[in-house]
Amino acid sequence: MKPFRYERPSTVREAVALVEDDPGAVYVAGGTNLFDHLKLGIVDSRLLVDVTGLSLDSVDVLPGGGLRMGATVRNADLAAHPEVREHYPVVSQALLAGASPQLRNMATLAGNLMQRTRCPYFLNVETRCNKRDPGSGCAAAEGHTEHNAVLGASESCAAVHPSDLAVALCAVDATVCVLGRAGTRRIPVTSLYRLPGKHPERDTVLGHGELITAVELPALPMAARSRYRKVGDRASFTFALVSVAVAVDTDGDRIRDARIVFGGLATKPWRATRAEAVLRGAPATADRFAAAAFEELSAARTTPANAYRVPLARDTLIATLRDLCEER
């Protein structure tokens, strides 16, 4: 049995102070990712700070439109929320595509966003992993590369970001609200995650002790016409081989605007800005969809084992765009 302290603070600022004062402290809510890593010996936290009693579990409509979703809202509850299902279907679909019903009943919004980017070598403490043990090397670079990232990887790390929800939130311009001892700040979800570079041990731009308190969704009309499509080894309880979150705004047979984010391909949710530029103002045709996919995926760097992900991503994006643009 590994000894640790457990604290259940009554205020958000008390929680932040507890974690910031102890380099070995971590926040815990549902714990569906953290507890696995504690058991495997990947994490050695001496203090667990439980944030489930901090009244951060509501979903509220904002005065100017949009939603504010508390950090500890359970994923199952968020997926079923009528405002999310009606105005941001891509978010509800992404939540339902992740994990299993049992895990969705436990996992929280912020916990999902903060789960570690990882590969099988990260989960095996007997192997080299720069993310787990900085400077030790990357066993995935020379080992099994089938599931390695094809976008955003570095010599230090090629692990694929695991969250379905984060991909969808990037597609609807979501913002995380964060509290630290220095005060509050707001960070677009597209800017929350870091590329690994030479420091893959840092998944996000958050400092130690900073706590996500909520996620806000803007009043974005095109979000009501959105979809999340996931391709995996099986229908549930699996990470994406490829996923895509798409929102479109059309004018007749032309695309006025689009949001496209890939999952399963990169070391963070991959906002496909080059593909969006190809589509913006263009006719909604199969040729244009293919051109958009080609423009974004031409930057992919593959091995013989993971090259299949590029045509799979192309076909997934084309099918999703076609389905959305055919809706009336």
Side-chain angles (χ1 to χ4, degrees):
M1 186 71 176
K2 297 178 181 179
F4 62 87
R5 281 173 55 212
Y6 172 83
E7 298 284 351
R8 189 176 169 86
S10 58
T11 69
V12 174
R13 293 194 178 278
E14 181 185 352
V16 170
L18 282 167
V19 175
E20 287 195 338
D21 286 342
D22 189 334
V26 293
Y27 296 114
V28 60
T32 56
N33 189 218
L34 175 64
F35 292 154
D36 283 344
H37 292 177
L38 286 167
K39 292 174 184 176
L40 290 169
I42 296 168
V43 176
D44 184 21
S45 295
R46 299 181 297 272
L47 171 60
L48 304 186
V49 178
D50 188 339
V51 297
T52 56
L54 300 181
S55 300
L56 300 175
D57 58 353
S58 64
V59 178
D60 303 300
V61 178
L62 296 172
L67 292 178
R68 181 180 174 89
M69 307 176 298
T72 60
V73 177
R74 303 292 175 176
N75 286 357
D77 294 335
L78 192 59
H81 196 283
E83 289 288 337
V84 177
R85 294 180 63 183
E86 180 178 358
H87 299 293
Y88 307 91
V90 67
V91 174
S92 179
Q93 292 163 12
L95 285 162
L96 293 173
S100 65
Q102 295 89 342
L103 288 175
R104 291 195 295 270
N105 284 336
M106 283 297 297
T108 62
L109 167 58
N112 184 289
L113 297 183
M114 291 300 292
Q115 63 182 304
R116 294 302 307 273
T117 300
R118 57 202 185 270
C119 76
Y121 295 99
F122 173 82
L123 297 173
N124 182 351
V125 295
E126 301 300 321
T127 63
R128 294 175 295 114
C129 175
N130 288 316
K131 182 176 287 291
R132 177 172 25 83
D133 183 14
S136 63
C138 177
E142 300 174 356
H144 297 286
T145 62
E146 178 182 359
H147 297 293
N148 283 9
V150 300
L151 293 166
S154 72
E155 292 182 357
S156 297
C157 185
V160 173
H161 190 270
S163 174
D164 295 290
L165 174 60
V167 176
L169 292 178
C170 287
V172 294
D173 297 343
T175 299
V176 293
C177 304
V178 177
L179 177 67
R181 183 167 287 173
T184 60
R185 59 177 179 146
R186 296 166 54 84
I187 307 168
V189 178
T190 51
S191 301
L192 176 64
Y193 301 102
R194 298 179 66 257
L195 292 176
K198 295 181 179 180
H199 295 283
E201 71 276 10
R202 295 176 55 202
D203 289 334
T204 73
V205 299
L206 299 187
H208 178 71
E210 286 194 300
L211 176 66
I212 295 176
T213 57
V215 175
E216 292 185 353
L217 304 181
L220 185 69
M222 75 161 65
R225 193 175 184 181
S226 61
R227 183 162 299 179
Y228 185 75
R229 181 174 261 125
K230 178 177 180 178
V231 180
D233 288 326
R234 53 186 180 269
S236 66
F237 199 50
T238 186
F239 293 136
L241 296 175
V242 167
S243 69
V244 65
V246 180
V248 295
D249 176 22
T250 59
D251 180 10
D253 293 328
R254 301 189 77 80
I255 299 174
R256 275 197 293 246
D257 200 2
R259 300 283 192 281
I260 300 171
V261 185
F262 281 114
L265 294 182
T267 52
K268 69 175 188 175
W270 193 264
R271 178 72 181 268
T273 54
R274 294 165 65 179
E276 293 171 2
V278 171
L279 293 173
R280 201 167 288 120
T285 63
D287 286 346
R288 181 60 65 158
F289 301 159
F294 176 83
E295 180 66 23
E296 192 66 44
L297 296 169
S298 62
R301 297 295 178 262
T302 65
T303 67
N306 67 11
Y308 73 96
R309 296 179 109 150
V310 173
L312 184 59
R314 177 199 63 210
D315 293 346
T316 303
L317 175 57
I318 291 172
T320 306
L321 284 167
R322 182 194 62 226
D323 291 349
L324 280 172
C325 291
E326 286 178 354
E327 290 181 356
R328 292 290 185 267

